Amino acid sequence: MSLRQSVGQRLAHLADEWGPRLRRAVEEGVSQARERLDRLNCSLADKALPEDRKTRIGRLELERKAKLAGQGKRAKKAPKSPAKAGARKQKA
């Protein structure tokens, strides 16, 4: 076995052994970094908005959600179909 093959096999063995561990460690570090940045972003956003604007934004967000859920202002009733309207006129 040549030196090149020996080194190649050793590196392949190390990659198989340490690769998954290294990947998990990196993924965990990235996840923790994202969480920290998210908390920092929320903190900065909280400090940046004046108190009166926060309440206004909260109210507007609730109104938007209500509208999306169909709880906003009452929608106009759909016009009656001509067939039903004609049937009523004939009965009268």
Side-chain angles (χ1 to χ4, degrees):
M1 179 181 287
S2 71
L3 178 62
R4 183 176 183 180
Q5 290 174 336
S6 177
V7 170
Q9 286 179 347
R10 183 71 179 145
L11 286 175
H13 176 69
L14 286 174
D16 289 341
E17 186 178 326
W18 288 93
R21 291 180 193 173
L22 182 60
R23 182 182 182 112
R24 279 192 301 271
V26 169
E27 288 173 349
E28 186 177 314
V30 168
S31 176
Q32 289 174 353
R34 283 184 179 158
E35 289 174 9
R36 287 180 182 171
L37 288 174
D38 189 37
R39 286 193 304 264
L40 176 64
N41 188 32
C42 289
S43 173
L44 291 174
D46 189 47
K47 292 176 184 176
L49 285 175
E51 201 60 41
D52 63 327
R53 178 128 188 248
K54 285 181 197 176
T55 57
R56 192 172 27 164
I57 289 173
R59 182 178 45 80
L60 291 172
E61 183 66 15
L62 286 175
E63 288 175 5
R64 184 186 69 80
K65 287 181 180 180
K67 188 180 287 185
L68 286 174
Q71 297 175 0
K73 295 179 181 177
R74 293 196 171 212
K76 294 180 181 178
K77 292 185 178 180
K80 296 179 182 176
S81 66
K84 288 183 181 178
R88 286 187 181 160
K89 287 181 183 178
Q90 291 174 357
K91 288 181 182 179

